[in-house]
Amino acid sequence: MLVRAPRAPRPPRAARRVAVLRTATLVACAVAVVLAPFAGPPAEAVNPPRTGFERSGGTRWTSPREEAEFLATVDEESPRVAVDRIGTTEQGRPLDLVRIGAPGPPTPARAARGSVVLLVCAQHGDEPAGREACLTRLRDLAYAKDAATRRFLAGTAVLVIPTANPDGLAAGTRGNGDGTDVNRDHLALETAEGRAIAAVIRDHRPDVIHDLHEFDSTAPYYAKDVLTLWPRNLNTRHGVHREARHLARDHVRGAVEDAGHTSGVYGFWTDPRTGARGRQIAGDGQERILRNTAGLKHAAGLLVESRVGALTDDERDDPAAGRRRRVTSQLTALDATFDYAADHRGRLATATAAARRHGLADTGPVFLGGADNEPPEPGEVIADPPCGYALDAGQYEAVRDELALHGVEARERPGGGALVRLRQPLRALVPLLLDQRAGYELTDGRPVERCR
């Protein structure tokens, strides 16, 4: 049983940074109202752009057109920001990546010298509050003038995918344009959305992946304001798992509770009267879910879920008040993640580096099932994994792109096909992709006991 450690008080330095970040744009906007008639060239923009959600006071969500204009403005006006097209959906909508750093947008090589935080927003198109929080915070980071934010961005590259499922957002659906749940496609990579996210993770190697979602509460079993969860997959290395759990349970939950929200662990309905665990809804150890894929790829994965249903009579009478509360709780969680990335940069680097080295050592079992709260069945443990998996020409042709997007190394053979060794940084991912016993394998590779 996992026991929550006592929450340590938030460091004063971190608290000051959060306060500055939260107020920087409000101050800038207030000044802009006064100075607008005297505004000069946009090189040092006085009036940062506002989202459609902000302009409407929460009566509606930011539209796709407004998002495109908002990102174009931030890209043009802030030297810290670059907006990249990383894919196109089935219905032709753009998938964007926003890179934020100081003094300029981070490249993968420069990001590797510090911490990298990736925000993945709106994987489910009918869960918009996290997207609004992402747009707000990327703007705040882009325009803030204070020294604390500049120091933060000098050591931490922030990457944001503001809308990870544009087709679903446009339709108001959980799935993408084909009806596929993007958050169940981080192994097979069958969707344009899943492929784009995988390429970002491969190229930038984030230390933290913060995944923003929403949930429908069911009182009294599942009625918290904010729920969090870390990678439960048993193949997540110990140090990465420890940091991810610490981030979720102590930093993020601590911050949202300090802000007046209730919080809990996402995953099971629990009867508050008896403590009995009910229906499981989280796919705890499934490697195809982003927070678990994050752990397999040596990032501290974090799932944050804000409650959709109204909390008060005021919210029932005024839906905009409920929307504002949902976005505010997501903003609080984001600020806690930023604090954690800055204050624990050394610990994160140590944990992620050790996880990659472990793959090169090629030792230990690989788990095909189970989670940190559910022991695996005997048949779900490869106690003595093979040296690698051989793919014939047809198999390799079918999965070579997916292996490359994951960053899995394959050695092509002169006669066709390839050998995929386990001795590589993503060691545990290889059997999950290629072993016939795995639940979501891409193809059934032939186990090879001795690699030449």
Side-chain angles (χ1 to χ4, degrees), residues 18-204:
V18 168
V20 169
L21 184 59
R22 286 174 178 169
T23 59
T25 301
L26 294 176
V27 172
C29 289
V31 171
V33 172
V34 177
L35 299 182
F38 313 99
E44 285 291 335
V46 177
N47 191 12
R50 303 177 71 212
T51 66
F53 177 83
E54 291 171 319
R55 293 198 304 271
S56 72
T59 60
R60 61 179 179 81
W61 304 110
T62 302
S63 71
R65 179 184 59 79
E66 288 172 327
E67 177 185 332
E69 294 172 351
F70 178 90
L71 293 180
T73 300
V74 174
D75 189 18
E76 179 181 357
E77 293 184 346
S78 175
R80 299 173 186 163
V81 170
V83 180
D84 305 322
R85 178 73 58 85
I86 57 172
T88 304
T89 69
E90 183 69 22
Q91 296 179 359
R93 295 184 173 88
L95 290 159
D96 292 322
L97 172 69
V98 182
R99 295 181 285 121
I100 313 166
T107 62
R110 187 158 67 85
R113 297 196 290 270
S115 296
V116 181
V117 176
L118 171 62
L119 312 182
V120 181
C121 324
Q123 284 200 81
H124 294 147
D126 58 352
E127 300 173 7
R131 167 178 173 263
E132 298 293 346
C134 287
L135 291 171
T136 296
R137 274 299 176 263
L138 76 84
R139 183 270 320 281
D140 295 348
L141 292 171
Y143 286 87
K145 302 296 192 296
D146 60 283
T149 299
R150 290 196 298 270
R151 285 195 300 270
F152 170 68
L153 290 175
T156 306
V158 177
L159 310 175
V160 186
I161 302 176
T163 304
N165 180 6
D167 292 350
L169 176 74
T173 58
R174 177 181 176 90
N176 69 356
D178 295 328
T180 302
D181 187 334
V182 176
N183 201 29
R184 299 298 185 273
D185 186 43
H186 295 291
L187 206 70
L189 305 183
E190 295 176 339
T191 65
E193 298 86 354
R195 295 168 77 86
I197 294 169
V200 171
I201 296 172
R202 176 198 62 196
D203 294 343
H204 293 271

Side-chain angles (χ1 to χ4, degrees), residues 271-338:
D271 190 329
R273 297 162 295 190
T274 66
R277 194 172 68 184
R279 184 160 63 93
Q280 197 268 6
I281 63 171
D284 272 349
Q286 285 186 19
E287 59 270 22
R288 61 182 184 161
I289 296 174
L290 182 58
R291 63 176 167 78
N292 283 320
T293 305
L296 289 168
K297 294 182 176 180
H298 317 314
L302 171 67
L303 172 74
V304 173
E305 300 258 358
S306 55
R307 176 177 174 173
V308 172
L311 290 177
T312 64
D313 289 339
D314 288 343
E315 289 188 3
R316 279 182 279 274
D317 295 338
D318 178 14
R323 295 190 191 102
R324 292 193 296 269
R325 184 260 308 161
R326 289 153 60 185
V327 174
T328 298
S329 66
Q330 292 278 4
L331 287 168
T332 302
L334 283 180
D335 290 338
T337 291
F338 293 154

Side-chain angles (χ1 to χ4, degrees), residues 334-410:
L334 283 180
D335 290 338
T337 291
F338 293 154
D339 283 345
Y340 168 84
D343 294 343
H344 299 279
R345 186 174 291 119
R347 282 173 35 175
L348 270 173
T350 298
T352 56
R356 293 186 176 92
R357 287 196 303 271
H358 178 79
L360 297 173
D362 192 17
T363 59
V366 174
F367 300 95
L368 303 177
D372 67 4
N373 62 339
E374 293 286 347
E377 299 294 331
E380 295 177 325
V381 181
I382 306 177
D384 186 18
C387 172
Y389 293 86
L391 305 179
D392 63 32
Q395 289 176 313
Y396 184 51
E397 181 63 27
V399 303
R400 64 187 302 167
D401 288 348
E402 288 72 26
L403 295 177
L405 283 165
H406 282 300
V408 171
E409 302 164 6

